[in-house]
């Protein structure tokens, strides 16, 4: 019988110490081993290098770090990153891996202080090494370990001497572990988390189990601390509470409970004769009560995101600064929960979640998704030979992290199918920690889980689950059990590219149904890797940019934070959607409904500031003097706050402008100018839609075949060729957009994707046929048809030009679809390309809903006002270029063109029989075709024109790239549309 090399073994780590908690604050000495380590990469696991070889003449790589990313981003000397989502980049042949197996030999000198030889043990701790590694000290091989995102401790006492010692670590890229670490991320290897040399004193504390519950009926904290090894002389103290106890002893005291809203922590000091450690306890109790997930007796609603560890230059070797930046950005954007998809994070991240207040679903380092493509044949999750290894993984996670109050649930892994090892892992977790619910989305029947969890269902299905009306399971007992469980969306709203749309469809249900415990948007960060073109142009790479044999392209660019950490419009929308004070148009006209979404906190820290906004200007303002108790809802009426002033105020405004009532919850300690999405909540209601301006009565002057309509010149075919001092490159009706990732990918629930349907309908290649140009009662009326090559569906168009005065013209575009159309259309509107050498610099002053981009199903963050951008600043540079930058509800825009300003004012805008307050404006320095063809933002080059879209309607965003497409209420349909615009120079 042949034996496999150890990196292909199914054994749990060997030569390692028992798993214990993550480095707490201790007075035991320890030395960080971060820095440059000597390194050499070999093509196979059998490197032939003696562990006693110090590698004197090798190069170096930073530790922590991935060897593929060591060096300058355009010249990585040790391989390259590779991205696959589901696919294994090696033959599926568990537990064997190919001979070609990049293997890193690491070396460094470790200095053991003299004093450490007088007693105690010397221990090496690795927080994370990807994927399999062997540790040798002074030429002696001591241990083999794995579990890339889990800690390993190796007792090296007997192999070291005081002074300098040679540490050798051999790390293979592929191993048996690869089969259980198939998460959707870059394949990156090496010692990517901290390494520390510890002195473990005699009589020290190996492990602490901290139970810090909160009894919401008495207001008491309940504390019990167990110490390993068990010692009667250990002492536990909570100085702030004056508590002293022995290990195993339960004590109670009145406390301030811990929650994400108010993350109160208490130092817990544990002493033995040899060591003092300090942990930070938060008193809180997680429980499922009557099918509702609760924290400290109140329903626990998770307004979460999925977070992979990622930084564009460092991969998963994230710094403490990045971790803090993530936590603070989450808090700022009203995220209250994180699922650590799909592995335990760096332990410091959990310290930060404790301290700043984020609920955590801590997920085991397990994913075997690539087996799904094989019908789950030989899936490790269902193979008893893998049980010890998988149980070892959850054990190490729970032992490492259980002292964190932030952790509210354990997750057994992600997309690893089902099988006998799920039961074994769940049992192991419950034995170690019976206080937290167990989560595993793969366990659809919830035989082993405590919560019912799903990814990417439609909101219609969630609505059924919310009311306990989901489809029954075949097994009646399991069905009854699952129906009594809280429901979690472990992933929803896929933030790939421009999106997600449709958050409110889910969040309104969560607000109204206690069974729904909320969910986690996919995902926090866009994993673009910082790299350069051969010409030195920097950009963020995705799958396929690094010569991968197999890859999943742009699917890795699906985060709420763009790779340079710019919050995407999706994150601003999420902040508005998750805001603790929900402000919505009320059921009656002129009313707003306010809801305090905090579970434990009143709105006393918020001012409820309202403004009446007419034509983008504040014409009245005030404050609603109310404090909402946790979970309270109230309705406020404009008539109550303004009394009889309302009619006078409305009468004093231009009737062709929109009037909005906007209410914002602003932290008392912040200025009123805090951006809306960073306040505590905001919303608005339209008080008066804009009226169409009176019909223009001026006349048309025709000279030499050119008709002059105010400042607009039309050629003999009715095409505008000049507007004031600016030449027109193109003007016609449009129905297409550069597809978003959500347009490009077919949704889970539709037979064909939107972009494909539009392509088939010819919308990306429209041509115009002119039927007639006529002078009718002082107006020029152009009748035409716009349609795509190779199809017979098209739009009948009637364009009417009227002169208002010498500098002003009115345009009315009326569209009627004819022929067989797909169910949706990208947009219905007018495309105008103006010759403009520096189009990106053109300033746009506009009135509408802003300041940032918004779409029909992503518009909570856009509030009425007056805004200013350059055309460049209107662009969102998604990692994969696509439709972006639309501004909605635009009633006026002044474009400061080189040839003089051009003011566009919306008149009547109508979609089918629905009047729309304002148009949708998009302005770019390149065409939609160029945008659609670009693979990376740096490929987009201004083409000398300013490309403007003035739309009556544009399709929403949805989440089709993973999940449902655009909901019916946000879909643009092929229907009649009318767009009236006044152009003034
Ligand atoms: C889910 C998976 C995630 C990610 C997402 C798509 O199925 O759990 O890891 O792949 O799809 O981006």
């Amino acid at each position: 019988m042949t034996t496999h090399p150890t990196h292909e073994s199914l054994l749990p780590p060997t030569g390692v110490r028992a798993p214990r908690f993550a480095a707490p604050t201790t007075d035991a000495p320890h030395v960080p081993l971060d820095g440059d380590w000597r390194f050499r990469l070999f093509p196979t696991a059998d490197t032939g290098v003696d562990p006693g070889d110090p590698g004197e003449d090798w190069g170096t790589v930073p530790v922590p770090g991935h060897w593929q990313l060591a060096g300058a981003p355009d010249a990585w000397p040790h391989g390259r990153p590779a991205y696959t989502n589901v696919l294994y980049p090696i033959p599926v042949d568990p537990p064997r891996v190919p001979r070609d197996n990049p293997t890193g030999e690491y070396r460094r000198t470790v200095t053991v202080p003299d004093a450490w030889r007088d007693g105690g043990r010397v221990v090496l701790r690795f927080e994370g090494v990807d994927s399999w590694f062997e540790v040798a000290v002074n030429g002696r091989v001591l241990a083999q370990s794995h579990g890339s995102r889990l800690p390993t401790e190796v007792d090296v006492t007997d192999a070291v001497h005081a002074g300098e010692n040679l540490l050798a670590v051999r790390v293979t890229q592929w191993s048996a572990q690869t089969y259980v670490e198939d998460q959707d991320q870059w394949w990156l290897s090496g010692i990517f988390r901290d390494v520390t040399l510890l002195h473990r004193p005699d009589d020290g504390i190996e492990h602490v189990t901290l139970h810090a519950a909160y009894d919401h009926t008495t207001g008491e904290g309940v504390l019990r601390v167990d110490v390993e090894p068990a010692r009667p002389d250990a002492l536990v103290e909570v100085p702030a509470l004056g508590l002293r106890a022995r290990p195993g002893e339960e004590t109670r005291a009145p406390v301030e409970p811990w929650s994400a809203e108010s993350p109160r922590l208490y130092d817990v000091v544990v002493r033995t004769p040899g060591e003092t450690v300090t942990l930070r306890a938060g008193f809180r109790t997680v429980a499922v009560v009557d099918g509702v997930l609760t924290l400290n007796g109140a329903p626990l609603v998770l307004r979460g995101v999925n977070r992979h560890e990622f930084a564009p230059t460092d991969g998963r070797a994230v710094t403490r600064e990045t971790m803090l930046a993530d936590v603070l950005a989450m808090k700022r954007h009203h995220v209250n929960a994180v699922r650590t998809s799909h592995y335990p994070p760096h332990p410091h991240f959990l310290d930060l979640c404790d301290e700043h207040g984020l609920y955590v679903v801590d997920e085991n380092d397990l994913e075997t998704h690539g087996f799904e493509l094989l019908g789950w044949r030989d899936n490790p999750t269902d193979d008893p030979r893998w049980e010890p290894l998988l149980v070892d993984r959850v054990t190490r996670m729970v032992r490492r992290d259980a002292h964190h109050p932030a952790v509210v649930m354990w997750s057994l892994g992600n997309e690893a199918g089902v099988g006998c090892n799920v039961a074994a892992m769940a049992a192991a977790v419950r034995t170690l920690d019976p206080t937290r619910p167990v989560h595993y989305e793969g366990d659809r029947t919830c035989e082993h889980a405590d919560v019912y969890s799903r990814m990417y269902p439609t909101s219609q299905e969630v609505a059924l689950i919310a009311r306990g009306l989901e489809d029954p399971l075949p097994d009646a007992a399991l069905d009854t059990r699952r129906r009594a469980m809280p429901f979690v969306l472990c992933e929803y709203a896929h933030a790939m590219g421009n999106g997600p749309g449709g958050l409110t469809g889910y969040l309104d249900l969560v607000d109204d149904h206690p069974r729904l415990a909320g969910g986690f948007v996919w995902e926090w960060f866009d994993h673009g890797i910082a790299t350069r073109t051969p010409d030195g142009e920097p950009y963020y790479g995705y799958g396929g940019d690094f010569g991968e044999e197999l890859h999943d392209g742009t699917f890795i660019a699906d985060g709420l934070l763009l790779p340079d950490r710019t919050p995407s419009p999706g994150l601003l929308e999420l902040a508005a959607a998750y805001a603790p004070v929900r402000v919505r148009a009320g059921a009656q006209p002129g009313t707003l409904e306010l809801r305090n979404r905090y579970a434990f906190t009143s709105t006393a820290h918020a001012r409820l500031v309202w403004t009446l906004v007419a034509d983008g200007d504040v014409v009245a303002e005030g404050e609603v003097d109310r404090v909402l108790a946790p979970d309270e809802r109230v309705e406020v009426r404009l008539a109550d706050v303004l009394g009889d002033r309302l009619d006078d105020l409305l009468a004093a405004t231009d009737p062709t402008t929109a009037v909005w009532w906007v209410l914002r919850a602003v932290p008392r300690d912040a200025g009123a100018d805090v951006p809306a999405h960073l306040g505590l909540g905001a919303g608005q209601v339209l008080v008066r839609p804009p009226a169409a301006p009176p019909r223009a009565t001026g006349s048309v002057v025709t000279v030499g075949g050119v008709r002059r309509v105010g400042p607009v010149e039309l050629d003999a075919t009715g095409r505008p060729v000049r507007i004031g001092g600016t030449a027109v490159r193109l003007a016609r009706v449009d129905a297409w957009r550069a597809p978003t990732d959500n347009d490009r990918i077919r949704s889970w629930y539709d037979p064909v994707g939107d972009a494909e349907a539009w392509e088939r309908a010819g919308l990306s290649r429209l041509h115009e046929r002119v039927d007639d140009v006529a002078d009718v009662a002082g107006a020029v009326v152009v009748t035409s048809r716009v349609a795509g090559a190779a199809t017979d569906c098209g739009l009948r168009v009637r364009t009417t030009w009227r002169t208002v005065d010498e500098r002003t013209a009115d345009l009315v575009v009326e569209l009627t679809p004819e022929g067989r159309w797909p169910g949706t259309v990208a947009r219905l509107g007018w495309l105008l390309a103006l010759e403009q050498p520096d189009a990106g610099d053109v300033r746009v002053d506009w009135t509408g809903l802003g300041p940032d981009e918004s779409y029909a199903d992503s518009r909570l963050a856009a509030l009425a006002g007056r805004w200013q951008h350059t055309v460049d600043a209107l662009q969102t540079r998604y990692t994969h270029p696509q439709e972006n930058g639309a501004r909605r509800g635009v009633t006026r825009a002044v474009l400061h063109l080189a040839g003089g300003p051009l003011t566009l004012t919306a008149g009547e805008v109508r979609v089918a029989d629905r009047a729309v307050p304002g148009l949708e404006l998009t302005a770019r320095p390149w065409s939609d075709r160029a945008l659609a063809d670009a693979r990376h933002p740096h490929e987009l080059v201004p083409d000398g024109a300013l490309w403007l879209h003035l739309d009556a309607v544009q399709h929403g965003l949805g989440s089709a790239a993973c999940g449902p497409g655009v909901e019916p209420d946000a879909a643009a349909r092929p229907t009649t549309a009318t767009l009236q615009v006044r152009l003034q120079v």
Side-chain angles (χ1 to χ4, degrees), residues 686-710:
L686 183 64
V687 176
R688 192 198 59 203
R695 172 181 286 215
T697 52
S699 54
V700 175
V701 181
T702 307
V703 182
V706 172
R707 290 180 171 84
R708 285 195 65 105
V709 185

Side-chain angles (χ1 to χ4, degrees), residues 171-407:
V171 184
T172 66
Q173 171 151 17
W174 311 124
S175 68
Q177 313 307 317
T178 304
Y179 294 101
V180 290
E181 295 179 0
D182 186 30
Q183 290 94 345
D184 176 5
Q185 58 183 351
W186 294 99
W187 293 97
L188 292 168
S189 324
I191 308 176
F192 75 100
R193 286 187 186 160
D194 316 320
V195 186
T196 319
L197 189 68
L198 312 173
H199 182 242
R200 300 295 317 129
D202 295 330
D203 301 323
I205 299 162
E206 283 309 305
H207 186 69
V208 173
T209 307
L210 178 73
H211 307 268
Y214 180 70
D215 182 342
H216 70 276
T217 60
T218 62
E220 286 175 320
V222 186
L223 183 75
R224 201 188 78 220
V225 175
D226 296 313
V227 176
E228 295 174 29
R231 322 183 40 112
D233 57 353
L235 188 66
V236 177
E237 284 178 279
V238 186
L241 297 174
L243 280 184
R244 284 164 79 90
R246 293 286 172 196
E249 201 183 309
E250 186 175 292
T251 51
R252 291 178 162 254
V255 295
E256 289 172 42
W258 184 95
S259 71
E261 291 171 23
S262 174
R264 176 72 162 98
L265 294 173
Y266 292 87
D267 280 356
V268 175
V269 184
V270 185
R271 282 182 227 284
T272 63
E275 187 176 8
T276 301
V277 301
T278 306
L279 295 97
R280 307 189 76 195
F283 292 92
R284 94 283 175 282
T285 294
V286 184
V288 175
V289 181
D290 296 335
V292 177
L293 185 67
T294 64
L295 182 100
N296 300 338
L300 173 54
V301 178
L302 304 164
R303 299 192 174 89
V305 292
N306 279 280
R307 174 181 179 268
H308 266 288
E309 300 195 307
F310 187 71
T313 48
D314 304 324
R316 289 184 286 282
V318 288
T319 61
R320 282 169 162 66
E321 292 73 36
T322 299
M323 296 176 215
L324 179 62
D326 278 354
V327 166
L328 295 180
M330 287 177 191
K331 291 293 289 186
R332 214 169 31 244
H333 293 92
H334 307 313
V335 169
N336 77 354
V338 191
R339 173 172 175 239
T340 68
S341 53
H342 300 299
Y343 40 79
H346 188 288
H348 181 64
F349 180 74
L350 297 180
D351 294 336
L352 295 170
C353 293
D354 290 346
E355 184 181 333
H356 295 275
L358 286 169
Y359 302 117
V360 174
V361 174
D362 198 355
E363 190 148 271
N364 182 31
D365 192 353
L366 170 63
E367 175 158 341
T368 64
H369 203 170
F371 286 89
E372 187 175 16
L373 304 175
L374 312 171
W376 295 108
R377 268 191 319 279
D378 295 330
N379 181 16
T381 311
D382 196 26
D383 181 341
R385 290 176 305 157
W386 288 81
E387 181 185 318
L389 197 144
L390 298 189
V391 168
D392 169 73
R393 286 181 174 238
V394 281
T395 303
R396 282 154 75 195
M397 169 177 75
V398 175
R399 295 273 293 182
R400 195 194 75 163
D401 295 340
H403 57 288
H404 289 284
V407 176

Side-chain angles (χ1 to χ4, degrees), residues 83-86 182-185 306 308 339 341-342 363 367 369 372 414-415 441 455-456 490-491 494-496 522-523 555-558 748 961-962:
Y83 166 58
T84 60
N85 169 10
V86 178
D182 186 30
Q183 290 94 345
D184 176 5
Q185 58 183 351
N306 279 280
H308 266 288
R339 173 172 175 239
S341 53
H342 300 299
E363 190 148 271
E367 175 158 341
H369 203 170
E372 187 175 16
N414 183 61
E415 295 181 323
E441 186 269 348
M455 49 173 80
Y456 310 108
C490 70
E491 294 176 30
H494 195 248
M496 184 176 181
W522 187 267
E523 70 173 309
F555 220 59
I556 192 74
D558 57 359
W748 290 18
C962 196

Side-chain angles (χ1 to χ4, degrees), residues 583-594 609-615 635-639 641-642 646 650 657-664 682-690 849 859-860 862-865 917:
V583 184
R584 292 284 166 76
Q588 301 303 321
T591 62
L592 286 167
E593 191 208 68
L594 274 55
V609 180
W610 61 263
T611 47
L612 193 69
V613 181
D615 195 15
E635 194 162 87
V636 290
R637 290 167 15 111
L638 181 59
V641 299
L642 271 178
L646 179 59
L650 292 182
T657 60
V659 180
W660 293 87
W661 186 34
V662 182
L663 190 141
R664 301 165 59 206
Q684 61 199 350
V685 60
L686 183 64
V687 176
R688 192 198 59 203
L849 306 179
R859 58 193 167 95
L860 294 176
L863 298 179

